[in-house]
Amino acid sequence: MNRILAILTLDMENLPVNFPEILKLEQEVVAAWKAEGVLEHLFLRETKNGAVLIFTNVDEVQVKLLMETLPFYKIKKSIEYLSLMQQF
């Protein structure tokens, strides 16, 4: 099964004052994706400036559309997408 990896980096120098509220909304969206089966894993980066998301059962075009709906999308510095194939 193929997976799409999305590496999200936030613009930490320009965080809005309502960041805690945005974080709560972000967590709700991520929980919904997990419940729907499109998000397999979410890893926070040790640097605390973003996350790595692993999507399954969707293609890269769909992942990009999903990422645009994230509350953090508006405060992103960058997003990198990688298509992965599991080796057997």
Side-chain angles (χ1 to χ4, degrees):
M1 177 183 302
N2 293 347
R3 288 170 176 78
I4 307 294
L5 183 78
I7 304 170
L8 171 67
T9 303
L10 299 177
D11 183 2
M12 300 303 287
E13 288 93 39
N14 296 301
L15 293 180
V17 293
N18 67 336
F19 182 78
E21 295 168 27
I22 297 170
L23 175 61
K24 183 174 171 31
L25 293 172
E26 182 86 2
Q27 292 168 337
E28 292 171 4
V29 171
V30 167
W33 288 351
K34 285 185 177 181
E36 293 168 16
V38 296
L39 183 65
E40 186 173 40
H41 296 289
L42 179 135
F43 297 94
L44 300 178
R45 295 170 52 182
E46 282 189 21
T47 55
K48 299 181 181 177
N49 68 340
V52 176
L53 301 92
I54 301 175
F55 291 88
T56 188
N57 301 321
V58 289
D59 62 25
E60 189 171 335
V61 172
Q62 292 169 306
V63 168
K64 288 179 179 180
L65 291 172
L66 286 168
M67 291 296 289
E68 290 176 7
T69 68
L70 276 179
F72 279 173
Y73 187 82
K74 294 176 183 163
I75 57 173
K76 73 178 178 352
K77 188 173 193 175
S78 66
I79 301 178
E80 184 178 356
Y81 300 96
L82 300 169
S83 296
L84 307 173
M85 294 182 344
Q86 186 172 2
Q87 182 179 353
F88 297 99

